[in-house]
Amino acid sequence: MKKYKKENISIGWEAEKCIHAALCAKGLSNVFKPKDRPWIQPENASKQEIIDQVAKCPSGALSIIYDEE
Ligand code: SF4
């Protein structure tokens, strides 16, 4: 799993689960940019926007990992 840090969370992405439906890129195009490297750029949206978009990923490829206290 690749991880992309945002404040006290990380976005996890499992390439092998991703079905490339591009819902994330359509829903939050400032952060999920399939043509860029890195393709996830968490600095471009609020933490809550990212959490909401990750919840909509149809394949489970995206996840939110909370830092341990
Ligand atoms: S929404 Fe999920 S399955 Fe679709 S492209 Fe994004 S990460 Fe992959």
Side-chain angles (χ1 to χ4, degrees):
M1 181 193 287
K2 292 200 174 150
K3 293 183 185 171
Y4 303 82
K5 187 115 180 81
K6 174 73 174 180
E7 298 169 26
N8 65 335
I9 63 168
S10 295
I11 305 166
W13 183 63
E14 292 173 80
E16 62 279 11
K17 284 191 188 171
C18 179
I19 55 172
H20 303 290
L23 277 181
C24 53
K26 286 180 194 142
L28 203 53
S29 58
N30 288 340
V31 172
F32 298 99
K33 300 184 173 194
K35 292 183 180 144
D36 287 9
R37 294 292 177 272
W39 83 277
I40 298 180
Q41 300 174 10
E43 64 273 23
N44 295 333
S46 73
K47 190 168 85 174
Q48 192 59 53
E49 287 176 298
I50 290 170
I51 290 170
D52 291 346
Q53 188 61 49
V54 164
K56 293 175 189 159
C57 173
S59 68
L62 291 173
S63 57
I64 297 290
I65 300 137
Y66 290 85
D67 285 356
E68 291 181 30
E69 297 293 322

